[in-house]
Amino acid sequence: HSLTLVAAWLSEALGRTVPLISNWIEGVQLAPGQIALGENTRFLVGEKADDEALAQRMAALCDVYVMDAFGTAHRAECSTHGVARFAPAACAGPLLAAELDALGKALATPRKPLAVIVGGSKVSTKLDLLNSLADVADQLIIGGGIANTFLAAQGIDVKASLCEHDLGDTARDILAKAETAGCQVLLPRDVVVAEEFKAMAPCKTVPATEVPDGHMILDVGTDTIADLAARFEAAKTVVWNGPLGAFEIAPFDNGTNAAARHVGMLTKMGQLTSVAGGGDTVAALNNAGAADDFSYVSTAGGAFLEWLEGKALPGVEALSRA
């Protein structure tokens, strides 16, 4: 957990020595123009608890506190929240400002229609997200294992597929909420299935309603990919969180790759504003070679999700009160 490697990288990148200070909380003596890197704040007792005394000690060391870690802005800890309360001056850094600007444009004031992709393995990890997006999106595109739960909730037998059958009522509630809000929910029309999840496993494409016995859904099919392409072309903003299939292993990355490349192409043409975030999402876009084509790809995982869910981020709230 040490920042030793980061200090070495900074020294090389800046062409100057950047020392790593282990006990920086006791104070750091720097010559004018000198740069130093403090060791990981997680080594400090009281950091995760947002201890007020520790936050005051941090704040006493600085003239200006710059919060530039959007990826941890959802955590109320000393280095992300407490120090901003006591620092002589506190502000957002360029990364944090860029994240908030991009996400604000994508959700608070999006160009309409707004299409949101929610993928991944489990509904249970994205309940708040799905409920929040049902109120703001024009189209909610659901993929991955999450889609299996929604298909099953509609009486479709997904056979051996990953599925949270106990959340059927929850899925139906989200569908009803979306319908009331005028949000169209899109589930896979056809799917790629296989009897086992391994690289280049024998697979076939079938209608989502006709999964064979002993098979599992591992990707969206060609009809679904074509339908999504048409949806993207009609949209003005796309927000993406979560892959459409088991993108980690070919050929089950085809759906995610095709969709990501299409969104990237439309973005480069100026037809779309596209924002993506979340660890698996970034990995999936990199796998597709499309990450650089998106308008903005967030560095955050949990913070990105909580922002999409409409939750206040302590690291941002602290700056607004500073």
Side-chain angles (χ1 to χ4, degrees):
H1 299 298
S2 174
L3 298 182
T4 302
L5 295 177
V6 178
W9 185 91
L10 277 173
S11 297
E12 182 178 351
L14 297 176
R16 59 195 296 180
T17 299
V18 179
L20 178 65
I21 310 298
S22 296
N23 197 27
W24 56 270
I25 195 66
E26 299 297 334
V28 180
Q29 298 299 317
L30 296 176
Q34 186 181 2
I35 301 168
L37 176 66
E39 182 57 284
N40 193 340
T41 58
R42 285 297 180 90
F43 289 130
L44 297 173
V45 176
E47 156 70 352
K48 292 184 69 174
D50 200 17
D51 180 74
E52 186 170 300
L54 178 60
Q56 289 177 328
R57 292 178 70 190
M58 288 183 182
L61 297 174
C62 69
D63 297 307
V64 180
Y65 164 72
V66 182
M67 169 57 175
D68 205 25
F70 181 74
T72 56
H74 61 309
R75 297 175 180 151
E77 300 179 355
C78 280
S79 62
T80 60
H81 175 262
V83 62
R85 298 167 53 205
F86 303 107
C91 65
L95 174 66
L96 180 62
E99 292 267 2
L100 296 177
D101 180 61
L103 297 183
K105 289 178 180 176
L107 279 185
T109 57
R111 293 195 301 156
K112 293 278 196 168
L114 166 63
V116 181
I117 301 170
V118 178
S121 58
K122 294 185 177 182
V123 174
S124 54
T125 63
K126 298 188 177 180
L127 283 177
D128 290 343
L129 176 63
L130 290 164
N131 275 303
S132 176
L133 293 176
D135 283 330
V136 297
D138 297 296
Q139 294 182 331
L140 183 54
I141 299 164
I142 300 179
I146 293 176
N148 300 340
T149 300
F150 277 84
L151 291 170
Q154 295 181 315
I156 296 171
D157 190 348
V158 295
K159 300 296 168 59
S161 306
L162 174 67
C163 180
E164 293 175 287
H165 291 283
D166 58 321
L167 291 178
D169 288 341
T170 301
R172 286 187 286 272
D173 288 343
I174 292 172
L175 291 171
K177 180 179 182 179
E179 183 177 7
T180 300
C183 171
Q184 183 183 18
V185 177
L186 302 175
L187 295 170
R189 296 180 175 186
D190 60 342
V191 292
V192 177
V193 298
E195 293 185 280
E196 54 184 339
F197 178 42
K198 71 175 185 180
M200 306 313 294
C203 61
K204 57 185 175 181
T205 301
V206 299
T209 55
E210 299 177 16
V211 179
D213 289 339
H215 285 64
M216 63 185 78
I217 298 172
L218 293 171
D219 197 9
V220 294
T222 52
D223 286 349
T224 300
I225 293 171
D227 180 52
L228 291 182
R231 307 287 181 173
F232 297 146
E233 288 168 12
K236 293 297 183 183
T237 304
V238 170
V239 176
W240 192 322
N241 177 257
L244 298 176
F247 78 96
E248 301 92 343
I249 296 179
F252 309 117
D253 58 349
N254 184 57
T256 300
N257 288 349
R261 290 165 186 163
H262 202 78
V263 170
M265 178 192 70
L266 293 172
T267 302
K268 289 176 68 176
M269 293 170 60
Q271 293 183 217
L272 270 182
T273 297
S274 53
V275 175
D280 283 348
T281 311
V282 177
L285 298 188
N286 285 331
N287 183 66
D292 290 342
D293 296 332
F294 274 57
S295 303
Y296 196 83
V297 177
S298 175
T299 61
F304 181 81
L305 273 178
E306 292 196 17
W307 180 269
L308 292 186
E309 292 165 2
K311 296 178 180 177
L313 303 182
V316 176
E317 292 288 291
L319 294 179
S320 65
R321 295 194 302 268

